[in-house]
Amino acid sequence: MPVRPVLELDPERVQRTNTLLCQLWNIPSLRAHQEQAGSNMVKGSHTVLDVPTGGGKTLAFWWPLLYSSYYWSPVNDSPSTRKNLLVISPLVALMEEQAKDLTKRGIPAL
């Protein structure tokens, strides 16, 4: 069954997503491109995110997952709230480091 794109995002869910990401990564706020790229993906828009190393791509990839999993949190990791997100990167070492970091934060990753 094809996934239907979301035309309008729920402002409450957007705020909760931003807050959760900031809490998980211990940052004061997201960068504008992180929320924009994430919301584009939720809306089904083709999205290319070209930012340098350290520019915040990881949070942009996590944004649509947490928005779609509105009730997910590291303390509520039940099968009914689990979602999968595939990130493709040519840098195996970076992916391994990110997976370790996510696991330390209580987010299942491999």
Side-chain angles (χ1 to χ4, degrees):
M1 174 183 287
V3 176
R4 294 179 184 248
V6 175
L7 300 178
E8 276 192 52
L9 300 183
D10 178 344
E12 181 183 337
R13 286 175 75 169
V14 168
Q15 183 58 43
R16 176 163 162 65
T17 300
N18 292 346
T19 299
L20 183 56
L21 282 169
C22 289
Q23 288 171 349
L24 289 170
W25 270 266
N26 195 27
I27 56 174
S29 63
L30 296 178
R31 297 173 181 162
H33 68 271
Q34 293 167 321
E35 181 180 331
Q36 184 63 53
S39 66
N40 284 350
M41 289 183 250
V42 170
K43 291 177 184 177
S45 300
H46 294 283
T47 304
V48 175
L49 181 60
D50 183 19
V51 295
T53 299
K57 292 181 287 295
T58 299
L59 297 185
F61 295 139
W62 275 90
W63 201 97
L65 177 68
L66 294 182
Y67 180 88
S68 299
S69 305
Y70 183 57
Y71 296 104
W72 182 88
S73 75
V75 295
N76 180 24
D77 184 28
S78 68
S80 65
T81 62
R82 289 185 192 146
K83 303 288 181 192
N84 294 317
L85 176 67
L86 175 64
V87 177
I88 300 172
S89 172
L91 304 172
V92 173
L94 176 60
M95 292 185 331
E96 289 172 350
E97 186 174 315
Q98 288 177 343
K100 286 179 190 175
D101 184 51
L102 292 168
T103 302
K104 281 194 272 186
R105 296 171 191 275
I107 302 168
L110 52 100

